[in-house]
Amino acid sequence: MGNVYGYVRVSSRDQNEDRQLLAMRRERIPDENIYMDKQSGKNFNRPMYRKMVKKIKKDDLLYVKSIDRLGRNYEEILEQWRTLTKEKQIDIVVLDMPLLDTRRGKDLIGTFLSDIVLQVLSFVAENERKNIRERQREGIEAAKRRGVRFGRPEKPVPENFEQIYGEWKAKSISGEEAARRCNLTAATFYRRARQRNG
C-alpha cells in the first residue's frame, strides 16, 4: 500500500471547499497530501492537480469527493482516469459513488461496470458544465434586459460636456480635441455624443 492523497476543487475563489475537506479528513488523509485548486473543471491545466500527479506513484490511493470535482470535461476525465489507473497504476475512490472504487472488482466484470459508471458520470459532469454556462448566459441576457450594466461603471461626463459637445457639433473643434478637453477617450466621447443625439 502506497501513500493516500485527496484532491479538492472548487470553481471559484468565493466557493466553499469545507464539505470536500471534511470528507478527506474522515478518510484520515494527511493535510499535506490534500491538494486543492480553486478554478474551473473545464480542463486539467490546474497547478495543484499537476503537482499532485507528479508526486503520486504506483500503488498510491487518490480520493475525490465526486467525479465533477475531478473535472467537467468528458473526454479529459476519461483520459485522466486512464492515465492515473493504467499508467501511474494508482487506485481512485470517488466517495459519492461507491461503484467508482478501483480497489474493488479488478476482474473483467468489475472493470467493465466501473468503466460504464465513469463514462456516464463524466458525461453528466460535462453536461452540467454546459448547463451552468447556458444558465449564466440566460441570466446575463435577462439582467441586461432589466437594464443592469456589466463591466466598469461609465465615467461621468464633465460639467462642460454640453459646451464642448456644442463646439464639436458646430465643427469648431475636432472630436479628438473635444475628447481631450472632456478628459475622455475619443471612443467614449463619440459614444456619449451618439447617446446625446439619441
Side-chain angles (χ1 to χ4, degrees):
M1 178 73 179
N3 292 315
V4 180
Y5 294 91
Y7 181 69
V8 171
R9 184 188 67 78
V10 289
S11 294
S12 62
R13 299 219 170 267
D14 59 342
Q15 285 186 328
N16 194 313
E17 66 278 357
D18 290 350
R19 187 178 65 88
Q20 293 176 70
L21 288 172
L22 196 63
M24 298 300 147
R25 292 191 178 116
R26 273 197 298 266
E27 300 300 326
R28 294 183 166 72
I29 301 168
D31 284 351
E32 65 270 16
N33 285 1
I34 298 173
Y35 290 79
M36 181 172 59
D37 283 306
K38 291 193 174 191
Q39 67 185 82
S40 166
K42 67 182 177 182
N43 62 46
F44 283 86
N45 190 18
R46 300 177 227 135
M48 296 309 286
Y49 180 81
R50 292 170 84 94
K51 186 175 179 180
M52 179 191 72
V53 169
K54 280 183 186 172
K55 190 169 184 183
I56 58 179
K57 54 194 178 304
K58 185 179 177 184
D59 297 326
D60 284 348
L61 175 61
L62 172 63
Y63 283 93
V64 290
K65 179 80 172 101
S66 57
I67 199 70
D68 65 336
R69 296 304 88 202
L70 189 60
R72 285 197 179 272
N73 179 302
Y74 176 75
E75 295 293 333
E76 289 197 21
I77 292 171
L78 297 179
E79 177 61 26
Q80 285 300 309
W81 191 274
R82 190 195 63 74
T83 299
L84 295 170
T85 59
K86 304 286 189 280
E87 291 177 21
K88 289 276 191 176
Q89 296 182 18
I90 70 160
D91 279 310
I92 304 174
V93 175
V94 178
L95 293 169
D96 286 355
M97 181 53 59
L99 281 173
L100 287 179
D101 181 342
T102 61
R103 297 171 301 178
R104 295 190 196 132
K106 295 224 182 222
D107 62 349
L108 191 59
I109 291 183
T111 302
F112 174 71
L113 285 175
S114 67
D115 283 353
I116 288 173
V117 171
L118 174 64
Q119 288 195 23
V120 169
L121 291 177
S122 301
F123 170 79
V124 168
E126 177 165 344
N127 203 46
E128 179 60 15
R129 182 171 71 97
K130 288 177 182 170
N131 288 340
I132 289 168
R133 281 205 321 259
E134 181 65 18
R135 287 192 296 266
Q136 284 174 333
R137 187 186 62 72
E138 289 170 355
I140 289 168
E141 284 177 9
K144 283 181 178 176
R145 283 195 298 273
R146 289 192 316 270
V148 174
R149 294 190 51 93
F150 293 89
R152 289 186 305 206
E154 277 202 348
K155 200 171 180 180
V157 292
E159 290 178 17
N160 61 348
F161 180 80
E162 286 300 319
Q163 176 202 331
I164 294 168
Y165 170 79
E167 291 178 37
W168 170 74
K169 192 82 171 156
K171 299 196 183 332
S172 57
I173 60 171
S174 70
E176 286 74 17
E177 174 62 16
R180 188 190 64 71
R181 286 172 52 189
C182 288
N183 197 25
L184 300 170
T185 65
T188 301
F189 174 78
Y190 289 127
R191 188 176 69 250
R192 291 301 180 82
R194 281 193 306 276
Q195 290 169 347
R196 166 83 171 61
N197 282 336

